[in-house]
Amino acid sequence: MSSNVVPLEAFTTLPDHARLLGLDLGTKTIGLALSDVERQIATPLETIRRVKFSLDAVALLKIAEKHAVAGLIIGLPLNMDGTEGPRVQSTRAFVRNLVPLTNLPIAFWDERLSTMAVTRTLLDADASRAKRAAVVDKMAAAYILQGALDRLMRMPASPDDPA
């Protein structure tokens, strides 16, 4: 793809106190979540209603700039058996189109079961259907981002550091 599409390991070299933005790309919405400056906790941020790519990208990058984001974690909707289907192709196309518009590093994170896990949590909390619909995308983005943050915390900061 491009030099700013990187493995998650590359995020260990980002500046301290820089936030990450997690994305759950849907066909109608983009759920967003933001990390804290220590990159330990993901918090649901907002949901962008998708219009067309150029407008979606402008909105996304404006949010990234507003929050001084240093990198993007994008959920990759693999099939349960690990294969790539049409949704993965759509996600990769979105990233391919986004790459020329930003210098931010972008990493993919396996998002299998993220929406299902969030929906289960909301059902357990007895959230209404309307409430679930309003928050599920940004909560799924937080679930995706939290998985990547947890993995990053277990990685050495540089190749010389012990794991």
Side-chain angles (χ1 to χ4, degrees), residues 74-78 84 88 91-92 108-112 144:
I74 300 185
L76 195 63
L78 297 168
E84 296 188 5
V88 169
T91 298
R92 289 192 189 280
F108 291 110
W109 184 257
D110 182 350
E111 72 162 58
R112 281 179 278 188
I144 291 163

Side-chain angles (χ1 to χ4, degrees), residues 42-96:
T43 304
L45 183 62
E46 65 181 271
T47 302
I48 297 173
R49 175 102 9 231
R50 293 191 72 172
V51 182
K52 69 178 195 174
F53 174 79
S54 58
L55 297 175
D56 301 344
V58 166
L60 169 65
L61 295 175
K62 191 177 288 186
I63 291 165
E65 183 178 352
K66 174 183 173 183
H67 294 284
V69 166
L72 305 175
I73 303 290
I74 300 185
L76 195 63
L78 297 168
N79 293 325
M80 289 306 293
D81 64 1
T83 60
E84 296 188 5
R87 289 190 58 228
V88 169
Q89 293 170 359
S90 175
T91 298
R92 289 192 189 280
F94 182 93
V95 171
R96 237 185 341 268

